[in-house]
Amino acid sequence: GMILVACVVTASCTSLNEPNEASASRAVPSCSEKGPQGSARTGTSGLGDEVPGVRTSALLVKLPQLSMEEFDQHWRHPHGTLTKRLPYFKRYVQNHALENPPATAGIARIPYDGIPTVWATTADDFAAAAKDPRYAELDADVDKMYVRSKVVWLQGREYVTCQSQTS
């Protein structure tokens, strides 16, 4: 079955509102544009255009003693502030789960409280970040906000098939 992720997106890097080189150099089809037979467009290759770099997303479960509000506030600061100090990341986004999202028939809500996503130029940038002396403080902060043993993550490439032309 399908799983629904309902969240509030919070951008933490100071440069996130600036267009990046990849998005500025190519036009991504609008999600509302229709192709020849009325089907939605899906990029020049039909599968979407690869975005340069590597993206890592994780699924987090907050500590049981924290309310969602406490978890959200701690994640934004100090945790988000500690994360954006690391120069290895091109972008960092926090997706905070909505406490009571509207029900969607046939789709279950995932049992996670947040999904951080970090973009870097290469997979080696993640390893370099973990060796940076500033990372130790960030890593220690994890145990103040989420259950480390329940984290699952995925590192991969991103493909953009369409993008809304309105914000």
Side-chain angles (χ1 to χ4, degrees):
M2 292 182 82
I3 295 179
L4 173 68
V5 178
C7 53
V8 176
V9 178
T10 306
S12 294
C13 293
T14 53
S15 63
L16 290 183
N17 292 326
E18 300 171 15
N20 64 35
E21 302 149 17
S23 65
S25 67
R26 69 174 181 280
V28 176
S30 169
C31 293
S32 61
E33 290 181 44
K34 300 294 180 185
Q37 282 80 32
S39 60
R41 286 185 169 179
T42 58
T44 56
S45 68
L47 298 175
D49 298 319
E50 182 175 350
V51 176
V54 178
R55 173 181 168 168
T56 298
S57 295
L59 302 172
L60 310 178
V61 175
K62 70 175 184 63
L63 292 173
Q65 65 268 30
L66 296 179
S67 69
M68 276 304 292
E69 183 176 340
E70 291 169 326
F71 171 75
D72 287 348
Q73 287 182 5
H74 187 97
W75 191 10
R76 291 185 75 194
H77 178 76
H79 198 82
T81 303
L82 293 169
T83 302
K84 77 178 190 178
R85 291 187 332 182
L86 295 169
Y88 310 92
F89 305 138
K90 298 185 336 184
R91 186 171 184 204
Y92 171 58
V93 176
Q94 298 176 346
N95 294 284
H96 295 243
L98 299 176
E99 284 195 69
N100 298 302
T104 304
I107 302 176
R109 183 188 182 283
I110 64 171
Y112 295 96
D113 300 304
I115 305 172
T117 302
V118 181
W119 286 260
T121 303
T122 69
D124 292 339
D125 291 331
F126 292 98
K131 293 177 184 171
D132 188 297
R134 292 170 286 194
Y135 185 81
E137 187 178 2
L138 173 67
D139 188 56
D141 188 62
V142 163
D143 298 319
K144 298 175 185 173
M145 60 176 274
Y146 62 85
V147 182
R148 190 185 296 264
S149 64
K150 293 187 178 182
V151 172
V152 293
W153 60 274
L154 172 75
Q155 191 171 78
R157 292 178 298 281
E158 182 175 79
Y159 294 87
V160 177
T161 56
C162 67
Q163 182 169 312
S164 173
Q165 301 304 313
T166 60
S167 20

